[in-house]
Amino acid sequence: MGVTYKYFGAPDGATAARVPISMRPEELGGDELGQGMFTKIKPETVAAMVLTGIEGVPLHRVPPLELVVLHPDYAVVKLPMTVVDPLRGVGEESVGAAAFIWSTVPDRGGPRDAFTVYQLLHEWQDFSHRLHEAGHQAYCLVWP
């Protein structure tokens, strides 16, 4: 079956911690990625590929995710703003280059071809704009 990840925005950790209880979009401030992007792509992978592929940060310098809630049935983690912010100002060339780099890295359950990764990065770019406009931070709900 595997683990599922849902990315969303919230103004703070307390609000993000309540999300798994209700899962109502209005409590997420209406800025869910793709109205609730459910994916098999780990937040660690997203963080690493944005920071290495777009920002040029060495893999060993990618900051860890912050655990917000650890429950027997789920967890909520916060993605560092250093992962979300770079996507707001990046151009097409950088998105394309990052997509190509990501497509060459094996990621079980994740996108494999560069075009799929390119589309995903554009969704993330839209998400980062919505988060910024709402003054929210990026979180990920993780559950089996």
Side-chain angles (χ1 to χ4, degrees):
M1 185 114 183
V3 175
T4 302
Y5 306 95
K6 180 180 183 180
Y7 294 92
F8 65 94
D12 53 50
T15 304
R18 291 192 307 270
V19 166
I21 298 165
S22 72
M23 299 296 284
R24 292 192 317 211
E26 60 270 16
E27 290 192 15
L28 302 180
D31 62 8
E32 287 184 280
L33 178 56
Q35 295 305 316
M37 180 175 159
F38 293 91
T39 180
K40 296 289 186 182
I41 303 170
K42 298 176 186 177
E44 297 91 341
T45 302
V46 172
M49 290 315 301
V50 167
L51 291 175
T52 59
I54 293 176
E55 291 289 288
V57 174
L59 195 54
H60 70 278
R61 304 277 307 219
V62 173
L65 303 175
E66 179 184 322
L67 182 64
V68 176
V69 174
L70 181 58
H71 184 275
D73 298 327
Y74 61 85
V76 175
V77 296
K78 177 182 171 189
L79 281 76
M81 289 310 288
T82 55
V83 172
V84 181
D85 286 345
L87 289 167
R88 284 201 333 269
V90 73
E92 285 296 310
E93 188 174 305
S94 294
V95 171
F100 175 75
I101 291 167
W102 193 347
S103 72
T104 65
V105 176
D107 179 29
R108 291 175 296 171
R112 302 211 182 276
D113 66 274
F115 184 69
T116 302
V117 178
Y118 176 80
Q119 289 177 311
L120 177 70
L121 286 173
H122 268 290
E123 288 179 37
W124 269 93
Q125 198 169 36
D126 292 343
F127 181 50
S128 68
H129 283 288
R130 290 195 310 271
L131 286 175
H132 181 72
E133 289 166 9
H136 287 185
Q137 298 171 13
Y139 294 89
C140 183
L141 173 61
V142 180
W143 76 96

